[in-house]
Amino acid sequence: MKKSQIGVVGLGVMGKNLALNLEEKGNRVSVYNRTSEGEEHVVPAFLENAGKEKDFAGFQTIPEFVSTLERPRKLLIMVKAGRPVDEVITELIPFLEKGDILIDGGNSHFEDTERRAHQLSENNVHFVGMGVSGGEEGARYGPSMMPGTDPDTWKEIKPIFQPIVAQSFDGSPCVARVGSGGAGHFVKMVHNGIEYADMQLISEAYDFMKRGLKMTNEAIAEEFSGWNTGNLEGYLMEITSDILTVKNSDGAPLINKILDSAGQKGTGKWTAISSLMNGTPSPGITGAVFERFLSSLTDLRSSLSNKLDGPASFQIEEKEPALSDLREALLASRVMCHAEGFFIITEMNRIHDWGIEPQEVARIWQGGCIIRSKLLIPIVSAFKNEQELKHLLLSNSFSKMLSSLQDGWRKTISRSARIGIPSPVMMSSLSQYDSIRSKRLPANLIQAQRDYFGAHTYERTDQPRGNYFHTNWQKKSTNR
């Protein structure tokens, strides 16, 4: 029997489209789908429809499926993250051999990926945790891929995945070995955290225009379309303009009929948790996650909308200056949230020693993925020019950019507060900017309070770091 270059486990939306993409680029692809009630005919249906007259081989059992693959066998697992991935691995292990390669292309948590890689290494099987971004269309025509594995395994799978991905702005493929172990899934997780923040920021700008400036959906779409240039140019800006022009069957704007309750699959939350657990500030990303939680409280918000007063009526008289300032606020806030994401990556890379190169991450995010935008071009340059760049804002290009944008940024936040329109991620991004540029913060008082009630000690500005002191504050107080 003719052998296949790769096997795909799972024919859901992403698995099916990646299988079609792989076959279209010259691979024979074996496919297998775990059956459950009502899904007995997934593989035959695929072969009779989307896969008809193409170079696929479909199977109902794992032994047959695995036996059709070239050695070392390469299997791409596209099932729901969590227990299903472990169950598939358990089913596959008895039929794998030394040197075979298992690739998890789902949204697995990076710690699960590290565990699985360690377990499979005991069976001499290579495990790759590969983040895949781009949704259904990206999977079919060119995603961004973020594999985490060792260099030798990457050499084996590189010829298969390079031809199926999107291209960055310089024409290079949007796939690269981002590091070892769980690096691939970690980088994809942070990508999604930035995605949450980007989406929230665009939504805040939309809300400001709609409620604050009383603009129509068509006018907002036109404004966003005009903004879709330079560092604001990107996929999310593009689709937002499209969304705002779509009509319902009754001729009304469809966006007006969509319930304001945002869903999530957990990757943004994981990013927030990771930043909290490792002491890496991410108020923009974390704020975006909280806003999704808050949006789901529709009944509570409805009740409080009639109970809690907002500010007295305030009219924004000059629309054009307000729009110009809003554009600056959106760009500045996006820079801050990208800086947050890359700071999380560099700090976790330092802890885990994964070997992640931030400039490569920014390059492979330039095509195929959801947060692809022109802003990633100067991010690549910043990390390429300064190999040991600890934080994006230490780059002169970005510090100057934010300095030039801050006037409009501050005016927008002020207007939002005065008219009572929430802009939580724009506000938290500006607060982070002001915090991170402050040589001195009021944390000295917090540390004194901690020492007062808990004897937690403190360091002094007139003594070397690492020397700790304690004061009996009650005894020294002159007010007692």
Side-chain angles (χ1 to χ4, degrees), residues 8 13 29 38 63 74 106 114 188 199 229 239 311 318 338 340:
V8 176
V13 172
V29 182
K74 304 166 189 70
E114 299 254 286
K188 174 55 168 35
M199 294 170 74
T229 57
I239 68 170
E318 298 184 81
H338 278 70
E340 282 180 17

Side-chain angles (χ1 to χ4, degrees), residues 9 27 44 46 104 139 194 233 264 268 277 296 327 339 366 374 408 412 419 433 455 472:
V9 180
N27 299 289
F46 173 77
D104 175 13
I194 297 172
E233 182 179 339
Q264 57 181 307
M277 293 295 291
S296 69
R327 185 186 186 282
Q366 290 178 10
K374 288 289 182 68
T412 297
I419 59 181
Y433 174 77
N472 185 339

Side-chain angles (χ1 to χ4, degrees), residues 45 96 127 207 225 229 246 261 280 287 289 315 326 399 412 436 438 479:
L96 300 180
F127 187 73
D207 198 26
S225 181
T229 57
V246 174
S261 177
T280 310
V289 174
Q315 184 70 31
L326 180 62
S399 60
T412 297
I436 208 166
S438 296
N479 296 322

